[in-house]
């Protein structure tokens, strides 16, 4: 009979998690460029997800071997976990990319990042990583900030319903992917874990793209190469590294930096100007990130 998992606060040692937190923020910034590259691609939305994975997987395997890892040998006993995580990630990419084309961009960003709430809830109730008061306040501030940032332009209507549902489902799948990858990261290094998970995702996305009748072969490879390198190799690679060292609460709050960065990209590239409410929302997310990284009062007093 297994012993009950002890209750613990969602606190990591600052000296050990500083690099992981920097990787987490960097990963989210890189991932925020993904929708822009998807919009630029001349293939179908699911096909774009297929190329993101397929172009990145060989490079991830090479990087894993270059750092001394043996991905297939180290995955013994974790095969089902990596395959399941890859299928979940394929479902996330496919449904989110489809949803983007059936709803407003603000709706897609909001619902697609629902993992920012689901993953911390997993930490609270399943992993028993309870937040401190400061961390709980940080989560509330981050959610308010995200709603302010997106709420002015988001619109829930019958015309957007199909896209909204697809994007919300994508967020649920992304949270489930995080949960499985966090379990894999307890015994496996980030690069081999991400590489093998990506290999499992690629066939599912190709089958879905062909079944939907999408154009799969591009005329312009530049957006797809940028998508693979920025989103999968850099963005998802840094996120996978952080998953092994930070609590679900910190991961969830950091996910809300993606709408902030995406809104900034929209401002610069498409002239989608941010109003005062948007800037307040972005500021609240930034404050939340500062609060969630503060050590508990006892640690500050001891220092």
């Amino acid at each position: 009979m297994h012993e009950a998992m002890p209750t613990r606060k969602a606190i990591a040692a600052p000296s050990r998690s500083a690099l992981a937190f920097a990787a987490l923020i960097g990963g989210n910034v890189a991932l925020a460029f993904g929708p822009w590259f998807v919009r630029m691609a001349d293939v179908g939305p699911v096909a774009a997800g297929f190329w993101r994975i397929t172009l990145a997987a060989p490079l991830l395997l090479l990087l894993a071997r270059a750092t001394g890892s043996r991905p297939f040998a180290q995955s013994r006993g974790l095969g089902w976990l990596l395959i399941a995580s890859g299928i979940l990630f394929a479902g996330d990419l496919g449904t989110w990319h489809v949803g983007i084309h059936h709803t407003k961009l603000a709706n897609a960003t909001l619902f697609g990042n629902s993992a920012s709430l689901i993953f911390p809830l997993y930490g609270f109730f399943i992993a028993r990583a309870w937040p401190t008061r400061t961390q709980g306040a940080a989560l509330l501030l981050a959610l308010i900030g995200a709603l302010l940032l997106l709420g002015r332009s988001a619109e829930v209507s019958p015309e957007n319903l199909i896209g909204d549902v697809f994007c919300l489902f994508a967020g649920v799948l992304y949270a489930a992917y995080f949960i499985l990858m966090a379990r894999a990261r307890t015994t496996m290094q980030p690069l081999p874990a991400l590489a093998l998970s990506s290999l499992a995702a690629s066939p599912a996305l190709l089958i879905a793209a062909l079944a939907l009748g999408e154009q799969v072969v591009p005329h312009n490879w530049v957006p797809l190469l940028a998508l693979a390198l920025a989103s999968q190799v850099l963005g998802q690679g840094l996120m996978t590294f952080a998953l092994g060292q930070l609590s679900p609460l910190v991961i969830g709050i950091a996910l809300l930096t993606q709408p902030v960065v995406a809104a900034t990209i929209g401002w610069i590239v498409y002239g989608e100007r941010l109003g005062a409410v948007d800037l307040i929302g972005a500021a609240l997310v930034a404050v939340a990130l500062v609060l969630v990284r503060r050590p508990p009062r006892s640690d500050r007093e001891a220092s």
Side-chain angles (χ1 to χ4, degrees), residues 78-105:
L78 297 174
W80 72 270
L81 202 62
L82 295 169
I83 291 172
S85 66
I87 293 173
L88 286 169
F89 190 57
D92 162 55
L93 283 183
T95 52
W96 188 58
H97 285 186
V98 170
I100 288 174
H101 290 270
H102 291 85
T103 188
K104 292 179 177 292
L105 186 60

Side-chain angles (χ1 to χ4, degrees), residues 148-182:
L148 287 176
L149 181 67
L150 300 171
R152 192 165 62 89
S153 56
E155 178 185 346
V156 179
S157 68
E159 291 78 12
N160 300 326
L161 182 59
I162 293 178
D164 291 343
V165 171
F166 268 94
C167 292
L168 181 59
F169 186 53
V172 173
L173 292 176
Y174 198 34
Y177 162 80
F178 273 155
I179 292 169
L180 293 189
M181 285 298 284

Side-chain angles (χ1 to χ4, degrees), residues 1-269:
M1 185 173 180
H2 297 290
E3 294 181 0
M5 186 181 296
T7 299
R8 63 185 184 276
K9 294 287 186 180
I11 301 167
S15 59
R16 193 177 142 196
S17 64
L19 180 61
F21 186 74
L24 176 64
I25 299 302
N28 275 286
V29 170
L31 286 168
F33 282 82
W36 181 29
F37 298 136
V38 170
R39 182 179 290 184
M40 293 170 59
D42 59 1
V43 296
V46 178
F50 164 72
W51 286 116
R52 163 180 165 170
I53 298 293
T54 303
L55 293 173
L59 180 56
L60 290 169
L61 283 172
L62 287 174
L63 290 173
R65 293 300 299 268
T67 56
S69 298
R70 299 173 59 195
F72 293 99
Q74 294 172 0
S75 66
R76 290 173 185 169
L78 297 174
W80 72 270
L81 202 62
L82 295 169
I83 291 172
S85 66
I87 293 173
L88 286 169
F89 190 57
D92 162 55
L93 283 183
T95 52
W96 188 58
H97 285 186
V98 170
I100 288 174
H101 290 270
H102 291 85
T103 188
K104 292 179 177 292
L105 186 60
N107 292 43
T109 309
L110 176 62
F111 293 123
N113 277 281
S114 59
S116 61
L117 178 61
I118 298 170
F119 194 52
L121 289 177
Y122 156 80
F124 299 160
F125 297 111
I126 305 299
R128 296 189 183 180
W130 303 111
T132 64
R133 290 183 180 179
T134 300
Q135 291 173 330
L139 178 60
L140 180 60
L141 278 179
L143 291 174
I144 294 173
L147 290 173
L148 287 176
L149 181 67
L150 300 171
R152 192 165 62 89
S153 56
E155 178 185 346
V156 179
S157 68
E159 291 78 12
N160 300 326
L161 182 59
I162 293 178
D164 291 343
V165 171
F166 268 94
C167 292
L168 181 59
F169 186 53
V172 173
L173 292 176
Y174 198 34
Y177 162 80
F178 273 155
I179 292 169
L180 293 189
M181 285 298 284
R183 291 181 61 183
R185 282 285 289 113
T186 59
T187 57
M188 199 171 184
Q189 293 299 311
L191 279 175
L194 180 58
L196 296 182
S197 178
S198 298
L199 286 177
S202 182
L205 285 165
L206 178 59
I207 292 171
L210 293 173
L212 292 170
E214 292 186 356
Q215 179 180 333
V216 174
V217 180
H219 299 292
N220 181 9
W221 286 94
V222 174
L224 295 174
L225 287 169
L227 180 66
L229 292 175
S231 293
Q232 193 65 16
V233 176
L234 182 60
Q236 209 61 44
L238 291 173
M239 290 288 288
T240 304
F241 171 76
L243 275 175
Q245 304 183 52
L246 298 173
S247 72
L249 174 65
V250 177
I251 299 289
I253 291 178
L255 284 174
L256 293 174
T257 61
Q258 288 188 45
V260 175
V261 177
T264 304
I265 294 171
W267 188 357
I268 295 172
V269 178

